[in-house]
Amino acid sequence: MTTETAPLIVPSFDDEETDRKLAIICSKGTLDMAYPGLILGNAALGEGVETHLFFTFWGFDMIMTSRARDLTFSPVANTAMHLPLKEVPRPGPLSRMRLPDEVRMPQALAPAPGVSAMATRMMKKQLAALDVPEVPEFLDQIVAAGGHLWACRLSADMYDLDASDFRDDVEGIISAADFIEMTAGAQLLFI
């Protein structure tokens, strides 16, 4: 039996330039699926990593000028959704009622009218409390930090869209093959 411990391996976060690339494929247009790609892309840019975001299928909602401010969050089939009941005032006798810290929404309620709108407002409020910008402003930040935005040619043709439907800072409508070639050697994330 040995008591020696192996030295810790600590990653370097100094200011050295890097030739790393990150390619993020954004294929979903819901509010909860928009933010992971934006957060990871923003973090990569902060670490000096060249970052490209490729929007395809429903991910177009993030870069379409007519839809980007209307992304929603649906709790349907999201069994992990927790309700922030600590913030909900409980009047009268319910104020003394002890509720568990974590309560999951019954899936039978998720498709009910108004639940998606409530969940969207709740998520936007939580993100705003953390100073996380809305999707269009987050994309502004990513582009200002040197990030690159690309739209998928196949999806644009399917939906009969052109450059006028997208943000001005989308650099082009390109094929998947062009994106793969452009980001050769990059870490790839599919969201």
Side-chain angles (χ1 to χ4, degrees):
M1 183 171 147
T2 180
T3 58
E4 291 183 33
T5 57
L8 294 175
I9 299 173
V10 179
S12 172
F13 295 107
D14 54 18
D15 292 332
E16 291 180 20
E17 291 210 13
T18 176
D19 59 353
R20 291 178 56 197
K21 285 185 182 178
L22 176 63
I24 302 173
I25 299 171
C26 301
S27 68
K28 308 281 189 307
T30 58
L31 196 60
D32 57 319
M33 296 305 289
Y35 277 100
L38 300 179
I39 292 167
L40 290 168
N42 191 52
L45 287 164
E47 295 299 324
V49 177
E50 181 180 327
T51 302
H52 297 262
L53 288 90
F54 184 73
F55 298 90
T56 186
F57 289 97
W58 297 274
F60 269 8
D61 287 357
M62 297 168 63
I63 56 171
M64 289 183 64
T65 53
S66 63
R67 297 183 184 169
R69 294 212 175 271
D70 298 325
L71 302 185
T72 60
F73 169 58
S74 174
V76 174
N78 187 346
T79 58
M81 184 173 172
H82 301 261
L83 299 175
L85 292 178
K86 291 177 182 175
E87 297 176 16
V88 177
R90 293 181 287 271
L94 292 177
S95 65
R96 287 179 268 150
M97 186 175 166
R98 180 170 168 78
L99 294 173
D101 289 339
E102 293 189 16
V103 176
R104 294 180 193 263
M105 173 180 278
Q107 282 299 293
L109 295 178
V115 172
S116 183
M118 178 198 69
T120 299
R121 277 193 307 274
M122 185 176 69
M123 185 173 181
K124 285 185 174 183
K125 180 180 171 187
Q126 291 172 324
L127 289 166
L130 296 172
D131 292 326
V132 176
E134 293 208 19
V135 169
E137 287 74 27
F138 212 153
L139 286 168
D140 290 344
Q141 285 183 6
I142 286 172
V143 170
H148 304 276
L149 311 180
W150 304 97
C152 171
R153 165 60 57 202
L154 175 66
S155 298
D157 290 346
M158 277 178 52
Y159 301 138
D160 196 24
L161 301 172
D162 60 34
S164 67
D165 296 300
F166 302 122
R167 299 167 51 98
D168 292 338
D169 47 15
V170 171
E171 296 182 34
I173 301 173
I174 61 174
S175 70
D178 290 340
F179 184 71
I180 295 298
E181 185 174 324
M182 175 189 311
T183 58
Q187 291 176 283
L188 182 65
L189 297 174
F190 183 86
I191 299 173

